């Protein structure tokens, strides 16, 4: 391990403020950090490297950026702080030299159906003002073009005092909004397939309702059987019109069922309220499966999916409505705005054009403003957030980026590097957590954490220049110059998956045969149509297991054991060995410590100040009731098992008294993806992005299917971890599976048996197959952007 030495020279006449040119961190202990001390130069680009889970995000985001935000929040009044999230001070001895931190992370931009690329970047706000000024016919102010504002009106009498008398006047008001009244600004309407709700050939007494939770004589089914609105013994298909309305659409009404007060409402209303109003990702699997079957989402027939009212669509500038403008590819929209010559709104046009041009600069010119923000990948979401910063006049700000090159083709990485350097050159401090050698190379300063992940990491292995890092004997230093070689021989296909006439999004009637039984890599610049081809065009029922970039959800009560399903066979094994019920061995159920309710800590709410979490004194952080810990399996209690690393648990459940095949199989998959160091009871909230990605991969590997589709599996992975991923992909193919990978990483491309390259550009400039063949043929031809970069990577 190397430690950089910094020579400090200072002229006698230098201002005292010049001494604050460093961000000093001393004794940081957040998550797995072990008394980390580091000095980061200001107004430079510092890159933080290390294997996934080594503590990079804990240092940059959870320590430096978090403390900066906390200090800024404390400048507000106590009243305002009461409405803001309470942030605790990071566990660190000294933090000096902090500046305002602007965090640009990979968090998805929310799942609100009304959130679009335009609303997230304020481009829509500028467009609405433009159309309210220039649109013909004139329909109203800017909110008349907003699909988030409904048109409402009202009238009535108001009373007020005037000259000592109470005067009554009739008043009316009207708000003109742009929301489509049919879909309420969502662009889509939902329909329920009634055949999935009930079997109309049966009576209610015979169990006609097929909705999960409404079968088996429970309270939900009794509510409809004993309501008295219809005969429960006659088939539903013989119901009169009124009976069917009462069964499906009756307004909520209170009644007694078996002496218990209950609320009766039509089955459709009840399902809409109890199921369809929830986030699908938060549903139990069987409920989500039912919703996917029973609910169909169709484009709103009234607005055509534009979300806007007829009036908003009728007002136009040069024959273009605001709906047309939002549907344009942003690069085309920028050209349209440039062509508008109207001196009365010249400043507005200049600002709007600059905002749209920023999309092109950052490699997102292929998007449209009406694209739902929930459909953006993590990399796209991060770059959309960057749009706000590119034109900022702020200086001496600390910008914090989390793998800004994620989801970028090698061709686009140079453009991202230029943007990072431009922010630095304006006098800002730029902190970047990164794995890509191309971005590490442009840094002024490098901090490498490790040497391993989890408990094996959390220390600074190197601090200094990139050249010094490259020469150091750290994991990152040893792998920084890694180049995967092309395979001498590639596997032969065992069949093919035919795709014909693919036209999803920007695809142009693509016909392609994807080889089966081999490792296929789909490449192309961001926005060329890769995901559209794989996720939108592979025929349904093709025996496919799809693993996308969606973030895994989980609270502090979730851990690898609960997420992967490992806890189920473990609890059953404990229950069988001790002749008790399995619920005792869950800290979310009967086995929870009664004092902390299974949390392991006691949370004290301190109003606008940060809440305090103290270890539960009764269970000592073990989360379980003391009586549960008296039960043992294989010589260990349940808390000791959850404290095991994956590698230790593999041995524990693999043989001997604790032999449990179901648990052992899940643990082996976790070890296969490189998570052997992870504690199986570690809260999901403490896992890094790369660890979460691999945890999801391990979980999906248990699904039965002949074709595995992976969307950028190297996201968040260190160079050393990529080698292990390639080994895993090889094992899947050798086991008879077909693996299709959407990927930008050259090491994965070089390792492929077959490459399908899309392009040549993004958006309407892409959507075509520009190459099909082996990696060797792609390198030899150098006929595409991917071919050029792969040839450079392998040294050809």
């Amino acid at each position: 391990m190397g430690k950089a030495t910094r020579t400090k020279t200072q002229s006698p006449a230098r201002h005292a403020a010049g001494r604050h040119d460093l961000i000093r961190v001393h004794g940081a202990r957040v998550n797995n950090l072990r008394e980390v001390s580091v000095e980061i130069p200001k107004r430079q680009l510092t890159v933080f490297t290390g294997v996934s889970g080594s503590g990079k995000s804990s240092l940059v985001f959870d320590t430096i950026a978090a403390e900066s935000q906390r200090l800024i929040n404390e400048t507000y009044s106590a009243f305002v702080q009461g409405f803001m999230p309470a942030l605790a001070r990071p566990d660190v001895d000294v933090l000096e030299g902090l500046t305002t931190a602007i965090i640009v992370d990979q968090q998805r931009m929310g799942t609100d159906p009304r959130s679009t690329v335009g609303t997230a970047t304020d481009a829509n706000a500028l467009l609405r003002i433009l159309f309210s000024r220039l649109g013909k016919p004139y329909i109203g102010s800017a909110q008349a073009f907003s699909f988030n504002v409904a048109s409402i009106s009202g009238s009535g009498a108001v009373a007020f005092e005037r000259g000592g008398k109470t005067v009554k006047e009739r008043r009316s008001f009207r708000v003109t909004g742009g929301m489509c009244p049919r879909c309420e600004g969502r662009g889509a309407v939902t329909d329920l397939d009634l055949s999935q709700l009930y079997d109309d050939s049966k009576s209610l007494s015979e169990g006609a309702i097929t909705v999960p939770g409404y079968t088996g004589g429970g309270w939900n089914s009794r509510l409809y059987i004993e309501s008295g609105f219809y005969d429960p013994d006659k088939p539903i298909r013989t119901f009169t019109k009124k009976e069917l309305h009462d069964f499906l659409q009756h307004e909520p009404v209170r009644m007694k069922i078996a002496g218990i007060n209950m609320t009766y409402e039509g089955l459709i209303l009840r399902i809409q309220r109890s199921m369809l109003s929830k986030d699908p990702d938060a549903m139990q699997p069987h409920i989500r499966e039912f919703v996917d079957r029973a609910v169909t989402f169709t484009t709103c027939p009234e607005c055509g999916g534009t979300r806007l009212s007829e009036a908003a669509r009728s007002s136009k500038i040069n024959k273009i409505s605001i709906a047309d403008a939002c549907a344009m590819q942003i690069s085309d929209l920028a050209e349209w705005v440039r062509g508008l010559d109207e001196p009365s709104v010249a400043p507005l046009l200049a600002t709007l054009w600059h905002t749209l041009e920023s999309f092109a600069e950052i490699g997102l010119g292929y998007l449209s403003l009406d694209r739902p923000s929930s459909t953006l990948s993590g990399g796209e979401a991060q770059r959309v957030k960057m749009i706000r910063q590119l034109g900022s006049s702020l200086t001496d700000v600390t910008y914090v980026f989390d793998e800004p090159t994620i989801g970028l083709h090698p061709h686009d990485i140079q453009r991202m590097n230029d943007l990072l350097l431009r922010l630095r050159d304006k006098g800002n401090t730029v902190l970047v957590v990164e794995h890509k050698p191309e971005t590490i190379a442009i840094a002024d300063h490098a901090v490498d954490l490790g040497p391993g992940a989890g408990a094996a990491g959390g220390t600074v292995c190197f601090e200094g220049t990139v050249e010094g890092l490259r020469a150091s004997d750290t994991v990152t230093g040893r792998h920084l110059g890694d180049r995967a070689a092309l395979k001498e021989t590639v596997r032969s296909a065992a069949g093919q998956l035919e795709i014909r006439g693919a036209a999803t999004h920007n695809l142009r009637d693509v016909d392609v045969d994807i080889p089966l039984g081999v490792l296929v890599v789909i490449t192309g610049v961001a926005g060329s149509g890769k995901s559209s081809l794989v996720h939108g065009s592979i025929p349904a029922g093709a025996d496919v297991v799809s693993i996308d970039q969606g973030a895994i959800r989980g609270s502090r009560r979730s851990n690898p054991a609960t997420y992967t399903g490992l806890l189920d066979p473990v609890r059953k094994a404990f229950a069988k060995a001790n002749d008790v019920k399995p619920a005792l061995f869950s800290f979310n159920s009967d086995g929870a410590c009664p004092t902390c309710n299974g949390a392991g800590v006691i949370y004290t709410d301190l109003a606008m100040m940060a809440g305090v979490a103290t270890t539960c004194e009764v269970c000592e952080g073990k989360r379980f009731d003391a009586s549960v810990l008296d039960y043992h399996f294989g010589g260990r209690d349940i808390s000791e098992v959850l404290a095991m690393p994956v590698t230790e648990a593999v041995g524990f459940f693999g043989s001997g008294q604790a032999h449990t095949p179901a648990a052992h199989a899940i643990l082996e998959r976790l070890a296969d993806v490189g998570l052997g160091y992870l504690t199986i009871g570690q809260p999901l909230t403490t896992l890094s992005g790369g660890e979460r990605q691999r945890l999801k991969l391990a979980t999906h590997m248990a699904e039965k299917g002949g074709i595995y589709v992976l969307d950028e599996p190297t996201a968040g992975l260190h160079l050393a971890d990529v080698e292990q991923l390639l080994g895993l992909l090889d094992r899947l193919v050798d086991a008879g599976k077909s693996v299709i990978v959407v990927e930008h990483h050259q090491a994965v491309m070089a390792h492929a048996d077959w490459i399908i390259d899309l392009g040549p550009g993004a958006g309407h400039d892409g959507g075509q197959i520009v190459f099909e063949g082996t990696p060797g043929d792609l390198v030899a031809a150098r006929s595409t952007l991917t071919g050029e970069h792969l040839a450079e990577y392998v040294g050809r």
Side-chain angles (χ1 to χ4, degrees):
M1 293 192 296
K3 191 79 174 177
T5 57
R6 194 179 290 107
T7 305
K8 299 180 181 179
T9 58
Q10 186 174 340
S11 63
R14 193 176 184 187
H15 194 279
R19 293 196 298 270
H20 300 283
D21 282 340
L22 297 171
I23 296 175
R24 293 183 178 85
V25 181
H26 185 76
R29 294 174 294 275
V30 176
N31 295 331
N32 68 328
L33 297 180
R34 293 187 280 172
E35 302 290 343
V36 165
S37 298
V38 65
E39 292 185 345
I40 302 165
K42 287 185 181 178
R43 291 174 288 280
Q44 292 190 26
L45 194 159
T46 299
V47 68
F48 293 81
T49 61
V51 298
S52 178
S54 60
K56 304 181 297 298
S57 294
S58 297
L59 175 60
V60 179
F61 288 93
D62 301 338
T63 304
I64 297 172
E67 177 65 354
S68 173
Q69 285 197 316
R70 186 185 73 86
L71 293 174
I72 290 171
N73 288 359
E74 285 190 350
T75 63
Y76 297 105
S77 66
F79 175 76
V80 173
Q81 287 184 51
F83 295 96
M84 302 173 74
L87 302 174
R89 186 183 188 280
D91 188 6
V92 57
D93 294 334
V94 178
L95 262 176
E96 293 180 343
L98 295 178
T99 66
T100 302
I102 295 177
I103 299 173
V104 187
D105 58 20
Q106 294 176 37
Q107 292 294 323
R108 295 300 176 104
M109 299 178 68
T111 56
D112 190 322
R114 293 194 183 92
S115 176
T116 65
V117 170
T119 60
T121 57
D122 290 340
N124 264 30
L126 296 170
L127 264 182
R128 292 198 300 269
I129 297 172
L130 179 66
F131 273 85
S132 70
R133 302 288 193 275
L134 303 181
K136 303 293 182 187
Y138 175 79
I139 64 166
S141 65
Q143 68 182 10
F145 296 91
S146 172
F147 52 73
N148 286 322
V149 179
S151 293
I152 55 174
S153 61
S155 62
V158 294
F160 54 91
E161 296 292 327
R162 179 187 290 168
K165 295 181 180 180
T166 301
V167 180
K168 288 187 177 181
E169 287 186 5
R170 187 169 181 80
R171 297 280 178 88
S172 62
F173 73 93
R174 180 174 181 79
V175 175
T176 302
M179 178 186 290
C180 169
R182 172 75 185 275
C183 64
E184 298 182 338
R186 296 171 185 265
V189 291
T190 58
D191 287 320
L192 275 171
D193 182 354
L194 297 183
S195 66
Q196 298 293 333
L197 304 188
Y198 58 85
D199 180 351
D200 67 358
S201 66
K202 294 181 179 179
S203 68
L204 291 172
S205 298
E206 293 171 329
I209 302 177
T210 56
V211 180
Y214 287 71
T215 56
W219 282 108
N220 283 331
S221 61
R222 289 186 64 179
L223 178 65
Y224 290 92
I225 293 171
E226 301 177 27
S227 66
F229 286 116
Y230 31 71
D231 182 358
D233 294 319
K234 75 176 186 178
I236 293 177
R237 67 171 53 153
T238 64
F239 276 13
T240 65
K241 192 172 183 180
K242 183 180 184 307
E243 287 174 333
L244 195 60
H245 176 271
D246 289 341
F247 175 50
L248 297 177
Q249 304 282 0
H250 199 289
E251 292 296 317
V253 60
R254 297 289 289 176
M255 63 172 57
K256 279 196 174 184
I257 303 291
I260 297 192
N261 286 321
M262 297 183 72
T263 299
Y264 176 91
E265 60 185 325
L267 183 63
I268 289 177
L269 300 181
R270 192 177 180 89
I271 289 172
Q272 287 175 333
R273 178 182 54 79
S274 63
M275 294 183 183
L276 304 190
S277 61
K278 294 180 179 178
D279 181 355
D281 289 334
M283 294 178 181
Q284 293 176 290
H286 70 289
I287 300 292
R288 191 186 321 166
E289 185 181 339
F290 163 75
V291 169
D292 290 341
R293 276 197 330 266
V295 181
T296 56
F297 293 89
T298 56
T299 301
C300 175
E302 195 162 311
C303 67
T306 63
R307 309 161 180 259
L308 293 161
S309 65
E310 186 178 355
R313 302 194 306 273
S314 69
S315 183
K316 298 184 178 182
I317 302 174
N318 294 350
K319 300 182 179 179
I320 298 291
S321 70
I322 190 169
D324 298 330
C326 289
M328 285 184 186
Q329 186 165 300
I330 289 175
S331 56
D332 295 338
L333 181 59
E335 287 302 310
W336 180 76
V337 170
R338 184 200 284 270
L340 296 177
D341 183 17
E342 184 57 55
S344 63
V345 289
L348 175 64
L349 288 171
T351 303
L352 177 57
W353 180 82
H354 182 271
T355 301
L356 297 173
E357 196 63 21
S358 295
F359 278 93
E361 284 187 62
I362 212 162
L364 294 177
Y366 61 88
L367 295 178
S368 59
L369 293 183
D370 62 1
R371 169 91 173 259
S373 56
S374 61
T375 65
L376 299 177
S377 68
E380 287 172 331
Q382 184 174 31
R383 282 178 281 155
V384 165
K385 294 174 191 175
M386 284 184 71
I387 298 293
R388 292 175 178 270
Q389 315 305 333
L390 295 181
S392 174
S393 300
L394 294 174
T395 61
D396 258 333
V397 170
T398 299
Y399 286 98
V400 185
F401 291 95
D402 187 8
E403 290 188 66
T405 60
I406 200 167
L408 285 184
H409 187 272
H411 173 69
D412 300 314
I413 290 179
Q414 184 56 50
R415 183 184 290 163
M416 176 60 69
N417 287 348
D418 292 340
L419 294 171
L420 295 174
L421 293 172
R422 193 197 308 174
L423 287 173
R424 178 203 65 184
D425 293 343
K426 286 171 63 175
N428 298 305
T429 303
V430 181
L431 308 182
V432 183
V433 173
E434 189 54 84
H435 293 296
K436 292 282 178 66
E438 298 95 327
T439 299
I440 294 173
I442 68 167
D444 305 304
H445 190 74
V447 178
D448 189 46
L449 284 99
T459 61
V460 175
C461 299
F462 176 85
E463 187 183 358
T465 63
V466 176
E467 290 74 20
L469 174 62
R470 199 181 300 275
S472 68
D473 188 29
T474 65
V475 176
T476 303
R478 291 194 297 271
H479 286 85
L480 204 52
D482 278 3
R483 293 291 184 270
L486 295 174
K487 293 196 291 191
E488 293 184 8
T489 58
V490 295
R491 303 177 183 93
S492 298
Q496 59 189 28
L497 178 66
E498 294 185 359
I499 295 178
R500 295 291 179 265
T504 308
H505 298 137
N506 67 327
L507 295 178
R508 303 189 199 175
D509 289 322
V510 169
D511 294 338
V512 63
D513 295 329
I514 300 178
L516 298 178
V518 296
L519 175 59
V520 178
V521 175
I522 313 290
T523 61
V525 297
S528 60
K530 303 181 299 297
S531 295
S532 298
L533 177 66
V534 172
H535 297 300
S537 306
I538 288 182
D543 195 24
V544 175
V545 176
S546 184
I547 308 171
D548 60 19
Q549 296 182 46
I552 67 173
R553 294 176 178 269
S555 66
R556 65 171 70 94
R557 286 183 175 272
S558 303
N559 54 47
T562 58
Y563 182 79
T564 60
L566 170 65
L567 194 57
D568 290 336
V570 170
R571 287 165 51 199
K572 289 175 183 176
F574 266 90
K576 185 177 180 181
N578 294 279
D579 198 23
V580 292
K581 57 183 181 179
L584 277 177
F585 303 99
S586 170
F587 51 71
N588 292 322
S589 187
D590 294 357
C593 166
T595 305
C596 64
N597 293 321
V601 292
I602 304 292
Y603 292 94
T604 306
D605 186 8
L606 300 177
M608 81 286 295
M609 296 175 65
V612 176
T614 53
T615 302
C616 175
E617 295 180 356
V618 176
C619 68
E620 298 177 338
K622 294 180 179 178
R623 299 179 159 208
F624 290 94
D625 185 82
S627 62
V628 175
L629 302 183
D630 290 334
Y631 298 113
H632 290 76
F633 177 63
R636 304 284 187 98
D637 65 44
I638 185 67
S639 69
E640 291 172 331
V641 168
L642 291 178
M644 288 181 181
V646 169
T647 47
E648 183 183 345
V650 168
F652 180 75
F653 288 107
S655 59
Q657 289 182 321
H659 180 58
T660 310
H664 186 253
I666 295 172
L667 289 163
E668 281 199 316
R669 287 194 291 270
L670 288 172
D672 281 344
V673 298
L675 293 178
Y677 61 88
L678 214 60
T679 301
I680 61 176
Q682 182 177 339
L684 288 188
T685 51
T686 65
L687 301 189
S688 70
E691 288 169 334
R692 285 172 173 242
Q693 185 81 355
R694 284 180 286 169
L695 182 63
K696 184 168 70 171
L697 177 59
T699 305
H700 282 285
M701 281 172 59
E703 297 178 19
K704 292 182 179 179
I707 303 173
Y708 282 77
V709 177
L710 287 73
D711 198 349
E712 295 189 46
T714 63
L717 295 191
H718 186 268
L719 296 163
D721 298 323
V722 172
E723 286 185 15
Q724 188 159 14
L725 175 69
L726 293 176
L728 173 64
L729 299 180
D730 277 340
R731 288 196 295 276
L732 283 173
V733 175
D734 292 341
K737 307 292 185 182
S738 300
V739 180
I740 303 170
V741 183
V742 176
E743 189 54 80
H744 293 297
H745 203 295
Q746 295 101 315
V748 181
M749 296 181 200
H751 200 72
D753 298 308
W754 193 260
I755 286 183
I756 299 173
D757 195 22
L758 280 92
H764 59 49
D765 296 324
Q768 302 176 64
I769 303 290
V770 293
F771 177 85
E772 292 179 77
T774 66
D777 293 339
L778 179 61
V779 167
R782 296 179 74 121
S783 56
T784 68
L785 286 171
T786 303
E788 291 178 12
H789 285 279
L790 183 58
E792 184 181 338
Y793 175 83
V794 298
R796 296 284 181 90

